[in-house]
Amino acid sequence: VVSKPHYRDPLIGLNRVIFVFNDYTYRYLLIPISKGYIWLVPARARKSVGNFFHNLKTPIYLANDLLQLKPKPFGRHLARFLVNSTLGLGGLFDPAQAKLGLERTKTGFNDTLARYGAGYGVYLVLPIYGPSDLRHGAGLVADYFLNPIPYLIGTPESTAVMGYDSFQEFAPGADKYKTLRREAQDPYIFFRNLHLQGAQRDADR
C-alpha cells in the first residue's frame, strides 16, 4: 500500500532531519511516557478525558460544517454538544452517542480545503506532530483559532493543556509507531507515503 512514492516532497532534506528528531523523541521519550500514562491512568478515566476534549473542541467542528455546507453534521455536532455538556457533565461522558445514537465524528479546516478541491501541496514533517502537508498545516493553524482553549486560559497554560490533549490522543496507539517502524525498510519513506495516501483518500471521499 505504501510502496509507490509518487508524491511531491521537495523539502525532503529538511523533512528527513525533522523526522530523525521526531523518531528519537517518540522512541525514547513519548512512547515510554505513554506506556506509563496508560499503566497509571485507568481506561475509564482516559476515555472521559478524551470525551471532554472532543466536546470542548465542538466550535471547530461547527465552523467547518458550515464552511463545508453540511447542515446534517452541523446539527449532529450541535446536538451532541448540548447533550454532553449538560447530561454528560461538561463532556466527561457521551450520552449523546450512548443514549441517542448521535455518532461521534470530527472535522477540521483541512477537510474544508479538501472539499473545495485543494491539493495537499507539498509534504511536511512537523516537529513532534510528525507527518503532515501544506494543506494539513494550514488546517492546523485555522483550527487553532477556533479552539476555545486559548481563549479560556492564558499562555503558557493553554499551550500545556493543548499539548496534553494531543498527547492523550497519541498515547493509546504509541506502540503502533514502533511496530510499523520495524517493518519499514526506510521509515521516512514509509510514514511519508502512509500519510499522503491517507490524505489523497480523504480528499476523494
Side-chain angles (χ1 to χ4, degrees):
V1 176
V2 293
S3 61
K4 299 178 180 179
H6 303 302
Y7 303 119
R8 294 190 293 275
D9 189 6
L11 302 176
I12 187 170
L14 176 61
N15 283 337
R16 279 192 178 274
V17 171
I18 299 174
F19 177 84
V20 170
F21 168 78
N22 288 348
D23 183 55
Y24 275 87
T25 302
Y26 295 161
R27 289 191 289 142
Y28 300 112
L29 181 64
L30 291 182
I31 292 175
I33 293 175
S34 295
K35 289 181 177 179
Y37 178 72
I38 298 298
W39 177 81
L40 184 64
V41 182
R44 187 170 296 182
R46 287 187 276 111
K47 183 176 182 180
S48 289
V49 169
N51 288 340
F52 173 79
F53 278 112
H54 187 275
N55 190 65
L56 188 63
K57 291 183 288 188
T58 298
I60 299 174
Y61 318 142
L62 292 176
N64 283 285
D65 285 333
L66 287 175
L67 291 172
Q68 295 168 34
L69 304 178
K70 292 184 175 181
K72 288 185 178 179
F74 177 88
R76 184 177 68 250
H77 283 133
L78 180 59
R80 281 181 51 82
F81 179 75
L82 294 174
V83 171
N84 289 343
S85 296
T86 52
L87 300 179
L89 302 180
L92 292 173
F93 303 96
D94 191 358
Q97 179 162 309
K99 303 296 185 182
L100 302 178
L102 296 173
E103 183 184 3
R104 172 174 168 167
T105 61
K106 62 181 181 179
T107 189
F109 195 63
N110 174 57
D111 301 313
T112 299
L113 292 174
R115 177 171 173 79
Y116 291 104
Y120 67 83
V122 298
Y123 180 62
L124 300 173
V125 180
L126 301 179
I128 306 299
Y129 187 86
S132 186
D133 53 71
L134 189 59
R135 185 184 67 204
H136 197 184
L140 290 175
V141 173
D143 291 343
Y144 173 86
F145 289 104
L146 293 170
N147 193 321
I149 294 174
Y151 304 102
L152 296 174
I153 54 178
T155 306
E157 291 82 1
S158 62
T159 302
V161 171
M162 294 174 76
Y164 173 64
D165 177 27
S166 297
F167 171 76
Q168 63 88 25
E169 287 188 341
F170 168 82
D175 268 344
K176 293 180 182 178
Y177 175 84
K178 295 178 71 173
T179 301
L180 291 172
R181 188 186 185 282
R182 282 195 301 267
E183 299 296 324
Q185 184 175 2
D186 183 336
Y188 172 81
I189 296 296
F190 180 89
F191 284 106
R192 180 196 69 182
N193 295 354
L194 187 66
H195 169 82
L196 290 179
Q197 286 185 354
Q200 290 182 339
R201 182 181 62 248
D202 293 343
D204 291 338
R205 288 177 180 174

